[in-house]
Amino acid sequence: MITTDICIIGAGPVGLFSVFEAGLLKMRCHLVDVLPQIGGQLSEIYPKKPIYDIPGFPEIKAEELIENLYQQILPFKPTFSLGERVDKLSRTEDGGFLLTTSDQTEIKAKVIVIAGGLGCFEPRKPELQRLEHFEGKGVVYMVKDPEKFRGKKLIIAGGGDSALDWSIYLTEIAEQVTLVHRNESFRGAPDSTEKVFDLAKAGRLNLLLNSNLHALNGNGVLKSVDIMNKQGELKKVEADYMIPLFGLSPKLGPISEWGLNIDKNAIEVNTFDYSTNVPGIFAIGDINTYPGKLKLILCGFHEAALMAQSAFKFVYPNQKLSFKYTTVNGVNAF
Amino acid sequence: MIIFDVVDRAGNLQKVEVPEEINLNLMEVLKASEYPILATCGGMALCATCQVEVAQGLENLPSPTDVELDMLDQLPKATPQSRLACQIKINENLNGAVFHLAAE
């Protein structure tokens, strides 16, 4: 059980900066993010893209902004549950919250801050009948522990860098790797593409180009996958695991079931302090909505600062908050 | 006026009229017309939440750039008719085109 003052859902730029604003007011934070790294869409979607509207930075790469924010919050010793999704939220007797993640991590917090951007990044799924039936029983969307695939027969589907990279890596571990791709060439990194073709030539990788996943077979557990080529010919490939790697796409996820007022996939908040309709739960950044809302990182930073002032009342109900500038007080690390 | 058809995910067809000389892309026009597309990345061809299928008029559109092709190549449901709306500039080439919103 992790106990903290504030549990921040989402470790994007706004979630990270909340740790700073909370830290100035002596509140500790734990962050949960479904992605395996911090930074949200900045790290996942556009790490190398320059951003031009961060005050004080005429130009900064997305990944640099995340690194800077991380350095900025380190004095306040944030803790993280990465690669986990908050699935359940309940009230505790003392008026706080208990959150349970997809990995069954339990987090007790006095305040919840949802800084979830556009929601959870979830894997894009192929359209296959009975796909859900095989999820976790042969169909996996992420390679968390490669050792799980030792000596197994794998089918990897996709044409991006991750499909190429995992195919190369897993040929060393698995008994057999089949890579299925819709087109006849790859647009990933030239090095990886060359390696994949070399492995196929050497007979170490079963490469099926111009082909699509067609059907999953097995009684309860995945046994084989039917793959159809552009000519409409079917091929049955035996498989212990199928790993579709078609990138990630954002979904609001379990947040939609927590009794919050939601309008078009965004959480309605009071602009006084970005509180939601549930006392003790705040929503900041791209995930909230209010009249005049602009989805900008800099607006999220502002929302984080105001949120922290009100969160203080839940964390320290008997204390009076006096506002102090960092230029006067400095940053007092925990 | 530039006029093209948009078919939403429920199959409803609606004509969309856009003034000429408007400096927007198709994703921005779809969003402004309240179609439920997320456009997570805001138009950088990086998220594919604005994927459309071009049922008519594909030949009139400029070919996709490398960035767009890179993204389309990753998608499970992309077909030769698939495009990212954010990469399609609004101009008279779109007259008479038919776009289907791709499933989420």
Side-chain angles (χ1 to χ4, degrees):
Chain A
M1 167 90 73
I2 295 161
T3 304
T4 185
D5 294 326
I6 301 181
C7 181
I8 301 170
I9 301 172
V14 174
L16 293 175
F17 189 65
S18 301
V19 176
F20 183 82
E21 287 297 327
L24 291 178
L25 306 183
K26 304 271 174 246
M27 298 183 285
R28 287 178 185 272
C29 297
H30 181 82
L31 296 100
V32 186
D33 201 296
V34 71
L35 294 172
Q37 76 277 333
I38 62 165
Q41 48 175 308
L42 280 73
S43 306
E44 184 62 34
I45 303 187
Y46 53 93
K48 305 282 178 204
K49 289 268 175 187
I51 308 174
Y52 299 98
D53 60 354
I54 304 297
F57 292 94
E59 177 182 341
I60 184 165
K61 282 204 184 78
E63 61 184 5
E64 287 168 4
L65 179 64
I66 295 306
E67 178 54 30
N68 285 0
L69 284 165
Y70 183 62
Q71 293 303 326
Q72 193 171 18
I73 64 174
L74 273 183
F76 299 121
K77 301 200 168 50
T79 48
F80 296 90
S81 296
L82 297 176
E84 297 180 42
R85 183 175 80 173
V86 176
D87 277 347
K88 271 184 247 151
L89 173 84
S90 56
R91 280 269 179 194
T92 55
E93 277 176 15
D94 58 4
F97 299 92
L98 180 69
L99 299 98
T100 312
T101 74
S102 47
D103 286 4
Q104 304 306 315
T105 306
E106 290 189 320
I107 303 152
K108 200 169 172 291
K110 296 176 182 123
V111 170
I112 307 287
V113 174
I114 305 174
L118 286 139
C120 295
F121 280 86
E122 292 184 2
R124 285 195 195 97
K125 299 181 178 182
E127 267 180 13
L128 289 171
Q129 281 187 357
R130 300 200 301 152
L131 179 68
E132 292 93 65
H133 181 75
F134 288 106
E135 285 174 351
K137 292 172 185 155
V139 173
V140 293
Y141 298 100
M142 231 183 248
V143 184
K144 268 193 178 171
D145 171 22
E147 276 305 312
K148 178 171 152 181
F149 304 113
R150 186 168 290 280
K152 303 286 184 192
K153 295 187 177 111
L154 315 180
I155 295 177
I156 295 175
D161 281 324
S162 62
L164 292 171
D165 293 346
W166 281 119
S167 296
I168 295 165
Y169 185 85
L170 291 169
T171 49
E172 299 288 328
I173 292 176
E175 183 194 328
Q176 183 195 306
V177 179
T178 301
L179 174 60
V180 183
H181 179 42
R182 188 178 59 238
N183 293 333
E184 59 185 343
S185 58
F186 292 96
R187 305 188 50 81
D191 278 7
S192 318
T193 308
E194 206 184 310
K195 222 170 193 173
V196 159
F197 281 111
D198 287 350
L199 284 168
K201 223 185 257 169
R204 295 179 55 204
L205 174 76
N206 182 19
L207 184 57
L208 299 179
L209 298 175
N210 288 316
S211 300
N212 280 305
L213 303 171
H214 184 73
L216 306 174
N217 312 306
N219 192 4
V221 177
L222 187 69
K223 283 269 179 281
S224 68
V225 179
D226 293 343
I227 293 160
M228 191 187 269
N229 67 14
K230 282 213 171 124
Q231 286 74 45
E233 297 159 348
L234 273 179
K235 192 172 194 174
K236 196 182 278 294
V237 179
E238 278 184 33
D240 300 304
Y241 289 100
M242 180 178 84
I243 315 171
L245 295 172
F246 296 116
L248 300 171
S249 157
K251 297 258 154 60
L252 195 56
I255 291 171
S256 59
E257 292 149 24
W258 296 347
L260 302 167
N261 290 339
I262 288 178
D263 176 36
K264 286 187 197 139
N265 276 326
I267 302 169
E268 291 178 350
V269 289
N270 178 348
T271 50
F272 174 75
D273 55 3
Y274 304 95
S275 52
T276 67
N277 59 308
V278 178
I281 302 185
F282 298 81
I284 56 176
D286 283 0
I287 203 148
N288 74 14
T289 184
Y290 52 83
K293 170 72 182 177
L294 269 186
K295 286 185 182 180
L296 290 176
I297 294 170
L298 72 97
C299 296
F301 289 165
H302 159 85
E303 293 167 16
L306 295 199
M307 169 281 294
Q309 302 290 310
S310 277
F312 185 87
K313 292 171 202 147
F314 290 90
V315 176
Y316 298 111
N318 303 319
Q319 287 186 32
K320 209 170 173 255
L321 176 62
S322 64
F323 177 79
K324 293 197 177 74
Y325 292 111
T326 54
T327 41
V328 176
N329 257 23
V331 169
N332 298 310
F334 291 163
Chain B
M1 276 299 197
I2 298 160
I3 304 173
F4 50 86
D5 291 339
V6 176
V7 180
D8 68 16
R9 292 179 186 125
N12 305 313
L13 185 146
Q14 200 179 326
K15 285 211 179 305
V16 175
E17 294 189 22
V18 193
E20 282 156 39
E21 315 272 311
I22 197 169
N23 186 22
L24 290 179
N25 60 49
L26 180 61
M27 174 274 281
E28 291 165 321
V29 168
L30 292 174
K31 278 203 90 161
S33 313
E34 306 242 315
Y35 281 101
I37 51 169
L38 284 173
T40 312
C41 75
M44 293 187 283
L46 290 171
C47 72
T49 51
C50 68
Q51 187 189 335
V52 291
E53 299 296 307
V54 189
Q56 263 179 55
L58 185 67
E59 65 285 356
N60 300 330
L61 304 178
S63 306
T65 59
D66 275 355
V67 204
E68 185 179 351
L69 284 172
D70 284 348
M71 178 42 72
L72 287 172
D73 211 28
Q74 280 191 38
L75 304 175
K77 293 171 216 155
T79 69
Q81 280 74 44
S82 301
R83 293 295 301 264
L84 301 179
C86 69
Q87 301 300 300
I88 300 176
K89 280 232 147 41
I90 298 288
N91 59 34
E92 56 279 10
N93 293 342
L94 267 61
N95 265 318
V98 181
F99 299 100
H100 289 246
L101 303 192
E104 275 183 291

